[in-house]
Amino acid sequence: MSKVLSHSQRPRWRSLALLTLLLAPLLWPLQHLAERYYSDELIQQNSQTLDLYVANLLGTLRRYEVLPQILGDLPALRSALLQPDDPATLNAANRLLKRVRGQTGADVIYLMDNRGKTLGASNWDHEDSFVGRNFAFRPYFREAIAGRLGRFFGLGTTSGKRGYYFAAAVRDGEQVLGALVVKVDLDHTENLWGHTPEQLRVTDANGVVILTSRPEWRFRATRPLDERERNEVAANQPYPTLAPKALELDDKAWLIQSRELEETGWTVSILAPTSLIERPVRNVVAIGGAALLVLVLLVGLLMQRRRHYLERIALDARARRELEIRVLERTRDLEALNSRLKQEVLEREQAQQELVRAQDELVQAGKLSALGTMSASISHELNQPLAAIRSYAENAGVLLDHGRTDDARGNLRLISELTERMASIIAHLRAFARRDRHAPESIALQPALEDALALLAKRRRALDVELIRDIPDATLWVQAGETRLRQVLGNLLANALDALAEKAPPRRIWLSVEQNADGIALQLRDNGPGFSTEALQRAREPFFTTKTSAQGLGLGLAICDSLMRAIGGELLLDNHPDGGALLTLRLRAGVPGVNLQPPEDLSA
Ligand code: ADP
């Protein structure tokens, strides 16, 4: 079973791995979407930052843009240009410029004559004072003298600091007297940029980085300069170098957003490292992958559960089928057993019948063999009266010859008596030899006893015999044949009366019953002379008698014994210790019931 399962599990894991492989490409669009989402977010965020920075930068520049023109109208400065040799005037101009610088926050404010020489400056009292220096080479000076607003980015020639220069002409009517220049410090605008992963980059019209949060990018060229630009750089020297090195950036490593500043020709860019979105994208892909894995595992689990469920159903079905088969087999076995039992019962019944028949045969055979032993006595018994009859008949003939009819009649009467006696012998023998047709049945004892007593009542009264009974009122059921039992009882009672007739009164007969596990024992006792020793041994033999031939044939007890054995009972002969015969009939107990059976041998 487990072996089968492990076999069937292998392909399932293989199919799950296949499913994972099939679903894995779904992670690619997920990555793409996440990248789009996070870069959009970053772009939006950085766009705001960039706007802020641009606004700040423009605000800084615009604050100073109009300053040269306004200052140029101041009389004190114009006077200084008109009287360049008057120290007091120059001093006043210097102080004014210094004051204005302090108020506006400009880096340096200075005044040049129309040849480019600095007459006054806000830093007149500094070591690196501009006073006396000539900046005619600067493009802003040329622009201002030409009547336009001069703008210029460059490094201070003395300070080396980056600055943006605004310059305007100082006029006296139509005449241009000189120029006023305001230098704005731009270094601090770089410092506005905090320590963020995003980087700032401001490039000028030449594509050279002038402001940046990354010092190593400073004054690098984002594109190659053409000849005109190179010449201009050589002439104006806006950078610390004449040939700026190229700035090489990996396009893929940076997300760049830019704004053009038209008035300065600058481009302000914010550069965000793409690594900023890589991490959240990686997380999203990892989560997606995990979700996918969980999904696949869930599918696997569901498949496994379904498989288990199906397997269980199949198992149940198989078990049910096996059970049904077993039940069928068992039923078949039982049916076979049943028919075998029926057959056995039938055979037993047949055997029983055979047995009954065999017993019957046996009893009959016994009787016949008894008849065999009797035949000698029978011939003797019959020969005697036959011989007597013959002689009486011969005598009767002689007497008739002599006319003695009365004597002849007397002989004939004797013949008749003898034939009666012979008929009696033969009748007893018939009764003895008759085959019992019925198997023993349940018989009530008391009525049979009453019948036998009634038949002999007359003779008992004549002899004045006292009858002492010790018999329960409740009907006693015994196994016997109705007529056979009466015949036995009648014989025994008749014998008792015969015996009592031989003695003087008082004459008594006791009848008692004993019940035990084996059955019922009926005892019949008289106070006659009892059995002689020989009679006790031989009384059961046919034709044994101690009586005269007129009184007894000697067949009574022989027939009783045979009848008792035929019904499964027993006849016991004994003498009572107080004298007299004691006969015991042992009978098998019968089933209580109503005996509707008619006497079986009416012919007797
Ligand atoms: P029968 O009565 O014709 O002699 P039975 O077979 O009935 O033949 O009896 C055999 C003998 O047993 C009798 O002759 C008698 O000697 C003896 N016998 C039978 N019943 C008694 C009895 N109640 N008391 C004494 N002897 C008896």
Side-chain angles (χ1 to χ4, degrees), residues 4 152 188 239 251 299 308 326 350 355 410 420 557 594 600:
V4 173
F152 175 69
H188 79 278
Y239 323 121
D251 276 354
V299 166
H308 279 173
R326 268 215 300 280
Q350 280 172 355
L355 192 70
E420 249 173 60
L557 289 184
V594 182
E600 81 266 46

Side-chain angles (χ1 to χ4, degrees), residues 491-500 502 524 526 528-532 535-536 538-548 551-559 573 575 580-583:
N491 260 325
L492 299 186
L493 280 170
N495 275 352
L497 290 177
D498 283 347
L500 288 171
E502 289 176 24
L524 199 142
D526 60 62
F531 289 98
S532 66
L536 209 52
R538 297 187 52 202
R540 275 177 246 250
E541 288 177 17
F543 300 110
F544 173 81
T545 180
T546 56
K547 299 168 190 172
T548 60
Q551 283 175 327
L553 290 170
L555 283 173
L557 289 184
I559 291 173
L573 311 180
N575 282 325
L582 175 66
L583 291 108

Side-chain angles (χ1 to χ4, degrees), residues 38-318:
Y38 283 109
S39 57
D40 279 357
E41 192 133 293
L42 193 64
I43 284 169
Q44 205 177 342
Q45 193 183 317
N46 284 351
S47 172
Q48 285 171 8
T49 314
L50 188 60
D51 285 346
L52 268 176
Y53 185 75
V54 166
N56 187 276
L57 195 60
L58 280 177
T60 305
L61 294 178
R62 278 175 190 161
R63 210 164 59 228
Y64 300 102
E65 193 177 341
V66 288
L67 204 57
Q69 258 170 334
I70 296 165
L71 291 178
D73 288 342
L74 290 176
L77 297 182
R78 209 178 290 152
S79 312
L81 287 174
L82 289 171
Q83 297 159 357
D85 301 322
D86 178 22
T89 316
L90 289 179
N91 197 23
N94 279 338
R95 286 181 192 280
L96 175 70
L97 290 174
K98 184 170 185 173
R99 197 168 63 245
V100 173
R101 180 211 167 249
Q103 284 165 352
T104 58
D107 192 24
V108 190
I109 305 175
Y110 51 103
L111 184 69
M112 293 192 288
D113 66 12
N114 54 12
R115 285 186 305 278
K117 185 189 173 197
T118 307
L119 296 180
S122 60
N123 60 356
W124 60 277
D125 52 350
H126 285 220
E127 228 177 79
D128 51 354
S129 167
F130 287 1
V131 176
R133 302 188 60 163
N134 193 310
F135 296 115
F137 68 95
R138 292 292 203 184
Y140 58 81
F141 173 71
R142 291 197 298 274
E143 291 283 311
I145 292 300
R148 293 187 290 271
L149 178 67
R151 292 167 166 277
F152 175 69
F153 165 83
L155 296 177
T157 44
T158 46
S159 66
K161 278 169 41 176
R162 279 164 301 176
Y164 197 77
Y165 298 82
F166 290 106
V170 179
R171 296 165 198 267
D172 182 23
E174 283 302 304
Q175 191 196 351
V176 174
L177 298 176
L180 189 93
V181 184
V182 175
K183 183 191 174 191
V184 183
D185 176 21
L186 288 179
D187 277 3
H188 79 278
T189 57
E190 264 182 2
N191 300 338
L192 290 176
W193 206 256
H195 291 285
T196 57
E198 291 91 349
Q199 303 297 330
L200 169 80
R201 192 181 71 184
V202 182
T203 51
D204 64 6
N206 296 332
V208 175
V209 179
I210 52 172
L211 293 171
T212 177
S213 52
R214 285 280 275 265
E216 67 266 27
W217 291 355
R218 210 169 283 155
F219 300 117
R220 295 276 186 131
T222 56
R223 60 175 174 80
L225 276 65
D226 61 24
E227 200 182 333
R228 184 187 61 81
E229 287 166 339
R230 278 203 300 275
N231 290 338
E232 213 175 87
V233 167
N236 301 334
Q237 299 171 24
Y239 323 121
T241 168
L242 289 180
K245 284 185 195 153
L247 172 64
E248 273 154 17
L249 286 182
D250 183 1
D251 276 354
K252 282 189 184 143
W254 299 95
L255 197 73
I256 305 174
Q257 286 165 265
S258 302
R259 298 271 189 286
E260 303 282 337
L261 302 188
E262 274 178 32
E263 50 199 86
T264 55
W266 292 355
T267 303
V268 183
S269 304
I270 186 164
L271 294 91
T274 47
S275 61
L276 277 182
I277 42 177
E278 269 165 17
R279 188 177 306 157
V281 167
R282 253 203 317 273
N283 285 347
V284 165
V285 171
I287 288 170
L292 189 72
L293 217 65
V294 166
L295 185 81
V296 166
L297 283 176
L298 266 175
V299 166
L301 205 72
L302 275 175
M303 274 163 62
Q304 190 173 11
R305 288 191 69 170
R306 186 169 158 274
R307 188 182 293 243
H308 279 173
Y309 178 69
L310 290 178
E311 271 170 2
R312 214 179 49 229
I313 284 182
L315 254 168
D316 282 356
R318 200 159 61 218

